[in-house]
Amino acid sequence: MADPVKIHIDIVSDVVCPWCIIGYKQLERALDELAGEVEAEIAWHPFELNRHMPPEGQDIGEHVREKYGATPEQSQGNRARLQALGEELGFPMHYAPGMRIYNTFKAHQLLHWAGETHGALSQTALKLALFKAYFQDNRNVSDEDVLIDVAASTGLDSDEARMHINDPENEAAVRAHLDFWVDQGVSGVPAIIFERKFMVPGAQDAATFANVIRKVTAKKAAA
């Protein structure tokens, strides 16, 4: 039996983006389907949906109305759709009354440090824990103490995590990464890039991701 083909997958996303966790779970389903054929390494990259959001955040209903012009009925319908997709994919979402959307820069600092220092698996574990903290536990993912607690829950050192959240060099690196992906034409997330060449925008279904991966691996094998 042939060894699995190794592929690199970059995911540009934000931790308060519901379509980002939906897209990841669809990708995960596709990779499960291709188990034994493909071995994927995933790297997460920052994108701020709300770069100028103040630390206290904003009521999510108010935010969606102001940013997208959505009526309360439209917002409710969208949330119901997301909750149904989340349930189907094994990631139930809890949209509690008064839920807020937050600035995520510190979360991205934490993720950048985890990836650079502890590797891809640790970074993915942290990213998923942050998605859970926000969408399932309704925690404030702009709060430093919350972020440290989430990091510790994945086995990362609390003191190191706090140091890197407040490290000017780490901050500068994250800002550079944010600007880089905007310069690459990423204006919405998730954006998923296979082998640093083939970008798939949005939360596609598992079958679409599986087809893309098969095409990418075929190109790689033929090169």
Side-chain angles (χ1 to χ4, degrees):
M1 183 176 178
D3 292 335
V5 178
K6 293 184 179 182
I7 64 168
H8 182 83
I9 304 174
D10 294 295
I11 305 178
V12 186
S13 75
D14 201 351
V15 299
V16 294
C17 166
W19 291 110
C20 291
I21 180 59
I22 294 295
Y24 173 76
K25 297 301 287 185
Q26 295 280 24
L27 175 65
E28 185 179 56
R29 183 173 284 186
L31 290 170
D32 286 345
E33 179 184 330
L34 297 170
E37 298 177 46
V38 171
E39 182 180 322
E41 179 185 66
I42 293 173
W44 297 87
H45 302 282
F47 188 91
E48 286 185 289
L49 287 171
N50 304 289
R51 182 173 286 205
H52 303 294
M53 181 67 66
E56 67 273 14
Q58 183 182 21
D59 177 86
I60 197 166
E62 178 184 291
H63 174 76
V64 170
R65 183 174 64 252
E66 288 183 3
K67 188 171 183 178
Y68 303 107
T71 65
E73 292 77 19
Q74 288 171 326
S75 294
Q76 185 176 1
N78 288 337
R79 286 195 292 271
R81 181 185 175 202
L82 286 163
Q83 286 176 310
L85 278 169
E87 289 283 353
E88 179 190 342
L89 293 165
F91 188 87
M93 296 186 189
H94 305 146
Y95 281 99
M99 187 173 176
R100 301 180 75 78
I101 195 159
Y102 297 104
N103 183 288
T104 53
F105 185 78
K106 287 184 177 181
H108 290 307
Q109 285 182 274
L110 203 58
L111 285 159
H112 178 75
W113 160 68
E116 290 290 305
T117 307
H118 297 282
L121 293 178
S122 180
Q123 188 188 42
T124 293
L126 176 59
K127 184 78 174 192
L128 295 179
L130 288 166
F131 279 135
K132 178 182 182 297
Y134 182 65
F135 287 108
Q136 295 184 338
D137 303 332
N138 301 141
R139 301 183 76 182
N140 179 354
V141 289
S142 70
D143 183 271
E144 187 172 309
D145 288 335
V146 169
L147 292 171
I148 301 306
D149 185 57
V150 173
S153 75
T154 70
L156 295 169
D157 182 83
S158 297
D159 292 336
E160 281 189 51
R162 193 177 298 278
M163 180 179 70
H164 282 87
I165 281 180
N166 294 288
D167 177 13
E169 289 187 11
N170 190 40
E171 177 181 347
V174 172
R175 293 203 186 281
H177 279 275
L178 287 164
D179 292 340
F180 171 81
W181 289 108
V182 171
D183 289 345
Q184 295 303 302
V186 176
S187 58
V189 286
I192 300 177
I193 304 99
F194 297 89
E195 284 293 295
R196 300 182 173 90
K197 295 178 183 178
F198 308 101
M199 181 185 291
V200 177
Q204 306 297 327
D205 59 29
T208 297
F209 282 131
N211 286 336
V212 171
I213 293 168
R214 287 190 180 101
K215 289 177 181 177
V216 170
T217 54
K219 285 179 180 289
K220 189 170 183 179

